[in-house]
């Protein structure tokens, strides 16, 4: 057979580069579509009252109550470190009460929602993906379907509702703990009294900041269960598949949270 | 009646390449085939647990994959599915696992006592002592017991059709014989249509009214056990006769 001559063959590296871009684009669209479908199906399950209150309560307990100790530790340390580093930087340049502003603003706007979300990715997101992934590979999801039960109503929707409920509450808890820890450290470290600390905090306080922080909490509280359920339900293979999928889910969640976090200031702080 | 019409499915490579097969109402039907030939895939298309790339499955005249909204739910209510490894829900005890086999609409109308009675009956049918195991978690049961609980869950909703996915895989010879006797007895007592996917050729031939064999993604044989035993097709012969099977394996590997 006569071979066709190519005048200017495209270098393999360029073809490979475009192929990789195409593949990444396709995978992104696949995930986006599946996430959209999962969200819609969960919404329909809630509207049709197919979600059991007991399941929501169980998930709320797991995500909320059981997460309190780790959120407490994380928020305390965030408040303490912010107070110490802020004190060190401001000591000779600004009035001491500004430390109150710095700690409260940092915790409410950024550290409270973000660190709580990261903690929940590790504690809850990974758990959900591994749990559902194991159910997939052991055919338990198929069993639900074969019995005429909707896995979205039983497994996905309660977790998403629980995430939306618990995340703002946990962030509120983290804010209070972080601010008090920061205030105590300011007192111990720099002798800044409670009144001075809160004077500084009130001086630059906007109620909008609280709304901003809780908006982040709601979005993160939605993103973590949705992605972890989505990734869990896409698990393939055996134990290795579950491990791989859990790792990918954690990376996916953290990256998504950081991107959303970066989008918040231009959208809500202008 | 279950009708598989030109069912195609591929996962990277083709697994089913146009399977046409009919399981008549009330009969026991065994499906044989080497590993990886798509027996379980075909079984799962019956309940839309796997969606075929092409073709359809009709259950009592209802289209599973191209039917109007609600038809799949209708089909699923007719069918009990026994999974290869039981697929019991880890977090639920035996009572809750078995009661999941009752349709939601039925549970809503039933009292707690009625539900308990149905679960109790189903466990007794599969020769388990309900009092001893109702509160146990799947992790506390042996392999054979898990299998029986899985069967109880499949029959508690009183299905018209039972699909068995490798019901004896992983069981010792004593449990294998017991499960085979159970399948035969249940099909008779409950008057259900049974489609059994199995590697156990002898067991399948003894239990079933008709058998079929999948090979290379298509139906290689379909007929009575007697016809299957006397079939001249070398691939079928390989299944009937272990020596022929080994010879076929040798031929395939050389």
């Amino acid at each position: 057979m006569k071979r066709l001559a190519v005048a200017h063959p495209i270098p393999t590296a360029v073809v490979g580069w475009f192929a990789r871009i195409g593949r990444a684009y396709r995978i992104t669209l696949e995930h986006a579509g599946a996430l959209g479908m999962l969200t819609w199906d969960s919404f329909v399950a809630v509207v049709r009252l197919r979600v059991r209150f007991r399941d929501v309560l169980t998930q709320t307990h797991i995500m909320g109550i059981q997460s309190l100790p780790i959120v407490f530790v994380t928020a305390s340390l965030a408040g303490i470190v912010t107070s110490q580093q802020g004190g060190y930087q401001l000591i000779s340049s600004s009035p001491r009460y500004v430390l109150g502003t710095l700690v409260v603003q940092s915790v409410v706007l950024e550290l409270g929602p973000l660190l709580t979300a990261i903690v929940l990715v590790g504690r809850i997101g990974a758990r959900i993906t591994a749990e559902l992934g194991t159910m997939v590979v052991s055919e338990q999801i198929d069993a639900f379907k074969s019995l005429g039960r909707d896995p979205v109503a039983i497994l996905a929707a309660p977790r998403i509702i629980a995430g939306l409920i618990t995340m703002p509450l946990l962030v509120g808890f983290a804010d209070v703990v972080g601010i008090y820890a920061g205030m105590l450290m300011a007192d111990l470290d720099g002798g800044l009294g409670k009144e001075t600390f809160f004077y500084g905090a009130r001086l630059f306080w906007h109620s909008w900041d609280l709304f901003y922080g809780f908006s982040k909490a709601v979005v993160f509280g939605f993103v973590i269960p949705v992605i972890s359920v989505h990734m869990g339900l896409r698990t393939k293979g055996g134990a290795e598949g579950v491990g791989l999928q859990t790792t990918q889910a954690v990376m996916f969640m953290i990256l998504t949270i950081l991107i959303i976090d970066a989008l918040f200031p231009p959208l809500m702080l202008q | 009646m279950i009708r598989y019409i030109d069912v195609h499915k591929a996962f990277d490579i083709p697994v089913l390449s146009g399977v046409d097969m009919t399981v008549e109402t009330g009969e026991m039907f065994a499906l044989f085939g080497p590993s990886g030939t798509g027996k379980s895939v075909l079984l799962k298309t019956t309940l839309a647990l796997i969606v075929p790339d092409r073709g359809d499955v009709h259950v009592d005249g209802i289209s599973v994959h191209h039917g109007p909204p609600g038809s799949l739910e209708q089909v699923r209510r007719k069918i009990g599915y026994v999974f290869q490894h039981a697929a019991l829900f880890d977090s639920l005890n035996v009572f809750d696992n078995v009661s999941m086999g009752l349709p939601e609409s039925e549970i809503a109308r039933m009292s707690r006592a009625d539900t308990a009675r149905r679960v109790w009956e189903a466990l007794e049918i599969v020769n388990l002592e309900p009092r001893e195991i109702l509160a146990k978690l799947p992790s506390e049961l042996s392999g054979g017991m898990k299998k029986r609980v899985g069967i109880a869950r499949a029959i508690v909703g009183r299905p018209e059709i039972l699909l068995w996915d490798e019901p004896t895989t992983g069981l010792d010879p004593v449990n294998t014989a017991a499960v085979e006797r159970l399948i035969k007895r249940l099909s008779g007592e409950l008057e259900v249509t049974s489609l059994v996917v199995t590697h156990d050729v002898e067991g399948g031939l003894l239990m079933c009214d008709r058998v079929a064999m999948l090979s290379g993604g298509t139906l290689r044989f379909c007929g009575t056990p007697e016809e299957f035993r006397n079939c001249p097709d070398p691939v079928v012969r390989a299944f009937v006769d272990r020596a022929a099977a080994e010879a076929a394996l040798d031929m395939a590997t050389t």
Side-chain angles (χ1 to χ4, degrees):
Chain A
M1 196 165 66
K2 194 176 171 183
R3 290 183 65 182
L4 291 172
V6 180
H8 301 289
I10 304 167
T12 316
V14 176
V15 174
W17 188 70
F18 276 108
R20 276 197 295 278
I21 290 179
R23 201 162 39 243
Y25 189 64
R26 182 176 56 79
I27 291 169
T28 307
L29 283 180
E30 266 178 25
H31 278 295
L35 284 166
M37 286 292 293
L38 178 63
T39 306
W40 174 250
D41 290 344
S42 302
F43 176 74
V44 169
V46 173
V47 170
R48 289 186 179 168
L49 303 176
R50 297 181 69 182
V51 182
R52 289 196 310 175
F53 180 67
R54 198 178 72 178
D55 292 341
V56 176
L57 214 58
T58 306
Q59 293 304 321
T60 307
H61 177 78
I62 294 169
M63 287 188 197
I65 306 291
Q66 293 183 3
S67 299
L68 283 175
I70 185 73
V71 170
F72 178 83
V73 173
T74 313
S76 304
L77 293 174
I80 288 168
V81 171
T82 310
S83 181
Q84 284 177 313
Q85 290 186 353
Y88 165 74
Q89 285 171 341
L90 297 173
I91 197 157
S92 57
S93 60
S94 305
R96 295 176 68 206
Y97 61 77
V98 176
L99 188 59
T101 310
L102 183 78
V103 171
V104 171
Q105 295 281 312
S106 302
V107 169
V108 171
L109 292 176
E110 187 63 21
L111 296 177
L114 188 67
L115 289 180
T116 308
I118 300 289
V119 165
L120 253 69
V121 165
R123 219 195 79 77
I124 301 298
R127 175 191 169 135
I128 292 174
T129 303
E131 190 180 346
L132 298 195
T134 306
M135 290 182 82
V136 169
V137 299
S138 60
E139 294 186 305
Q140 292 178 52
I141 302 293
D142 278 349
F144 272 123
K145 291 178 186 167
S146 77
L147 297 168
R149 307 299 165 94
D150 178 8
V152 171
I154 297 170
L155 301 168
R159 286 167 170 80
I160 295 170
I161 296 170
L164 286 168
I165 294 170
T166 53
M167 191 66 185
L169 294 174
L170 285 173
V171 168
F173 175 71
D175 285 353
V176 171
V177 170
I179 290 167
Y180 268 88
M183 184 196 74
L184 284 175
M185 186 44 69
D187 193 11
L188 290 171
D189 198 33
L192 187 69
K194 191 171 79 174
E195 290 76 17
T196 317
F197 183 89
F198 280 116
Y199 169 77
R202 277 197 302 272
L203 204 60
F204 294 96
W205 175 254
H206 309 101
S207 301
W208 177 258
D209 297 346
L210 204 59
F211 178 73
Y212 175 88
F214 279 111
S215 300
K216 275 188 182 179
V218 171
V219 174
F220 295 159
F222 172 75
V223 161
I224 294 169
V226 166
I227 293 179
S228 54
V229 167
H230 159 74
M231 293 298 280
L233 292 177
R234 285 169 70 98
T235 304
K236 286 180 184 143
E240 195 184 347
V242 174
L244 188 69
Q245 196 73 355
T246 306
T247 309
Q248 286 181 347
V250 169
M251 287 164 63
F252 189 0
M253 282 183 274
I254 289 178
L255 203 61
T256 307
I257 283 169
L258 291 176
I259 291 170
I260 291 173
D261 192 54
L263 290 175
F264 258 87
L267 288 173
M268 289 186 73
L269 286 185
Q270 296 298 312
Chain B
M1 184 173 75
I2 312 169
R3 279 186 67 204
Y4 298 90
I5 308 159
D6 193 29
V7 177
H8 287 73
K9 185 68 190 175
F11 304 99
D12 298 330
I13 54 160
V15 176
L16 299 173
S17 311
V19 175
D20 289 284
M21 189 175 90
T22 303
V23 181
E24 300 292 344
T25 304
E27 79 173 336
M28 277 198 76
F29 193 104
L31 184 60
F32 304 135
S35 296
T37 47
K39 303 183 297 294
S40 296
V41 172
L42 188 69
L43 205 64
K44 286 185 176 180
T45 60
T46 323
L47 284 167
L49 300 178
I50 290 176
V51 179
D53 300 331
R54 210 167 82 205
D56 199 2
V57 182
H58 285 197
V59 176
D60 291 341
I62 305 165
S63 166
V64 175
H65 300 285
H66 303 293
S71 55
L72 180 58
E73 288 71 21
Q74 212 178 331
V75 167
R76 284 178 174 169
R77 270 198 295 273
K78 286 173 177 280
I79 297 177
Y81 195 109
V82 179
F83 286 86
Q84 190 174 350
H85 301 290
L88 300 179
F89 306 118
D90 296 331
S91 56
L92 304 181
N93 63 22
V94 169
F95 177 84
D96 289 335
N97 258 292
V98 178
S99 64
M100 286 288 274
L102 291 163
E104 276 181 302
S105 54
E106 216 171 304
I107 290 179
R109 288 197 307 269
M110 288 165 73
S111 66
R112 178 86 178 159
D114 284 340
T115 308
R117 186 176 50 76
R118 289 280 293 273
V119 170
W120 193 280
E121 279 173 9
L123 288 169
E124 281 183 336
I125 289 172
V126 297
N127 297 329
L128 285 171
E129 178 48 61
R131 209 184 311 274
E132 287 174 12
I133 64 159
L134 269 177
K136 286 189 174 173
L137 289 168
S139 56
E140 298 170 292
L141 304 175
S142 68
M145 286 168 104
K146 279 183 193 168
K147 213 97 176 184
R148 282 159 192 259
V149 173
I151 297 170
R153 185 177 66 185
I155 63 170
V156 73
R158 293 172 184 161
E160 296 165 32
I161 297 165
L162 278 172
L163 304 179
W164 307 80
D165 190 0
E166 306 275 9
T168 54
T169 299
L171 295 180
D172 59 67
V174 176
N175 269 314
T176 298
V179 169
E180 280 172 359
R181 276 198 304 275
L182 186 64
I183 295 171
K184 182 82 178 163
R185 184 164 65 81
L186 286 177
S187 296
E189 281 178 14
L190 305 175
E191 294 177 348
V192 294
T193 306
S194 284
L195 172 54
V196 188
V197 161
T198 181
H199 271 113
D200 179 11
V201 178
E202 266 316 307
L205 290 173
L206 286 172
M207 278 191 295
C208 294
D209 306 314
R210 281 200 306 146
V211 299
M213 188 179 146
L214 269 180
S215 178
T218 55
L219 209 61
R220 187 88 185 197
F221 174 88
C222 187
T224 64
E226 199 52 41
E227 288 168 344
F228 188 76
R229 285 184 202 278
N230 300 321
C231 181
D233 185 328
V235 180
V236 176
R237 295 296 315 155
F239 254 80
V240 180
D241 182 39
R242 182 177 289 275
E246 284 171 0
L249 191 65
D250 287 344
M251 278 175 67
T253 50
T254 52

